[in-house]
Every structure is written in structure tokens, then in C-alpha cells.
Amino acid sequence: MSEAVESRGSAPDGGLDPLRGLGPDDPRRRLVRATMDCLEDAALSDLSLERVAKSAGLSRSTLYRWFPDGRDALLRAALGVEVAEFWQGLAAAVASEARLEGRLTRGLMEGVRRIEDHSLLQRLVNNEADQLAPFLDELQPIVFALLAAYLADLLDRFSEDLAEGVDREEASRYLATLILSYLGSPARVDFGDEDRVSRLVRTQLLGGILA
């Protein structure tokens, strides 16, 4: 849920993408793309660095030049890029929403849809959760901090909609906690039902925050 980077860390992606600023032809970008391609039909434990290098059109020695720690470093970078791209894509999907409630509603609906439609992520979560978890655990505090900063920025921009006396920093952390919880466990709500999601946002997320 972000737009172009503005003044207050309003894009929850910059701290996630370890290759930020590198062009698509940079060897590290090519290796990360090749890693995700190879994972489409390989388990995390079976990921072959030789295959990754070959898929990227690079040598194994080049791979180790940029990722000297090997497989874990490459997976860490690939997942960071993937998560950053998720938030950037979500940003574009909600940017046209003119109200705070609408932006959060659209963000939850679109976020859940994108997660459910991500076949590789679903396979890894369902079949290789134990191996995936350490990498996601490393990313989680960064995601939370950047999402909370983005939400604090949103609350500033939509300040006319807020109840008097709302602590925006506290409210942003509360919202970030709930949003990540719902994205992580979407089965509790039908996120294809816009009216229901809007009511959830209005009563559970923004209750006590909106005027």
C-alpha cells in the first residue's frame, strides 16, 4: 500500500528491496529473477545455484561474486525483491482511492487476491513453510515498520476525517497490525465481498479513529 516515495517513508518497499536502484540488466537482478523462475518447479531445499546461474546467463563464479554466502543470501534477496514488488503493485491498485476507508478496503481486497493468486507463494507456504519461515521472519519487522510509516502518512493526509485526539503514530501501528493479520489469515472474511470488507474496515480498523 504505497505510492511514489514521499516525505515520510510513505512507500513500504524501500527497506525491503535489497537491489533497489539497480537496473533490470544488473547481474544481481538477473540472478534474483532466475531464482524465482527456478523455484517454480524446484523446492527451496533443492534450489541449484548452478541452474540459477545458467538460467540468468551467468557463471557460477559470478553468482558467488555477488552472493558470496550462496543459497541463503540469494533466497533472502529474491524474497525481499518479491515482497517489495507486492507492496509496489498494491500501491498502484489503491492510489486512485480518494478516501481513507476506500483505500484500506481496496488494499485489503486486492492484497488478499494477489496473495491467493500467487501460485509459487501458496506452494511454498503450504508445502515448505518451515524452510520459508526464517526468511519471512527477517522481513516481517521491516514490513511492519514501513507499513506503519505509510499509514501514519495517510492519517496525516486524511486528518480531516479523524476523530479528535487520535494519536496518529499509535493508530498507524494498530492499523498495520490488523492489516498484516488479515492478509496473513484471510479465511476469516470473504474478501471478495466489498460491502463486507468496507464494513470491516469501518467498524474494526477505523472504529475510534474516524470522526
Side-chain angles (χ1 to χ4, degrees):
M1 295 178 185
S2 72
E3 297 169 309
V5 178
E6 296 176 3
S7 56
R8 271 192 66 202
S10 59
D13 59 352
L16 291 168
D17 185 350
L19 308 183
R20 189 181 186 203
L22 299 179
D25 292 329
D26 185 275
R28 285 159 287 186
R29 286 279 182 203
R30 291 164 60 184
L31 288 164
V32 159
R33 286 198 305 271
T35 298
M36 300 308 295
D37 289 344
C38 289
L39 284 174
E40 290 291 344
D41 56 8
L44 284 171
S45 58
D46 295 332
L47 183 66
S48 164
L49 296 186
E50 183 174 352
R51 183 184 173 197
V52 169
K54 183 177 180 180
S55 178
L58 300 167
S59 67
R60 187 182 174 102
S61 62
T62 299
L63 186 154
Y64 275 105
R65 183 183 312 143
W66 293 113
F67 297 98
D69 293 333
R71 175 183 168 277
D72 282 359
L74 189 57
L75 283 172
R76 189 173 291 109
L79 290 171
V81 169
E82 193 74 8
V83 172
E85 289 180 352
F86 168 81
W87 288 106
Q88 289 170 331
L90 200 51
V94 305
S96 62
E97 294 290 339
R99 300 296 300 273
L100 180 59
E101 181 182 326
R103 189 166 295 204
L104 297 184
T105 298
R106 182 60 50 197
L108 281 172
M109 294 179 67
E110 184 68 14
V112 169
R113 184 191 68 77
R114 289 172 183 242
I115 290 172
E116 291 178 345
D117 288 348
H118 199 302
S119 58
L120 174 57
L121 175 62
Q122 292 301 319
R123 195 204 82 208
L124 293 176
V125 168
N126 292 326
N127 300 335
E128 303 178 67
D130 289 346
Q131 294 187 61
L132 183 65
F135 297 103
L136 296 182
D137 287 346
E138 290 180 13
L139 291 172
Q140 195 277 336
I142 306 173
V143 170
F144 179 85
L146 292 170
L147 178 58
Y150 166 72
L151 291 165
D153 181 72
L154 270 190
L155 293 177
D156 281 343
R157 283 188 276 157
F158 291 103
S159 58
E160 68 277 5
D161 296 334
L162 305 185
E164 185 177 353
V166 168
D167 184 322
R168 295 173 192 173
E169 296 297 329
E170 181 179 347
S172 69
R173 292 192 294 271
Y174 168 77
L175 289 173
T177 299
L178 286 182
I179 288 168
L180 292 175
S181 175
Y182 280 117
L183 290 178
S185 303
R188 293 175 287 170
V189 178
D190 179 4
F191 281 96
D193 184 336
E194 185 170 357
D195 288 339
R196 186 173 182 182
V197 178
S198 180
R199 184 164 60 252
L200 171 75
V201 168
R202 186 168 55 254
T203 60
Q204 301 298 316
L205 274 71
L206 293 176
I209 294 176
L210 289 181

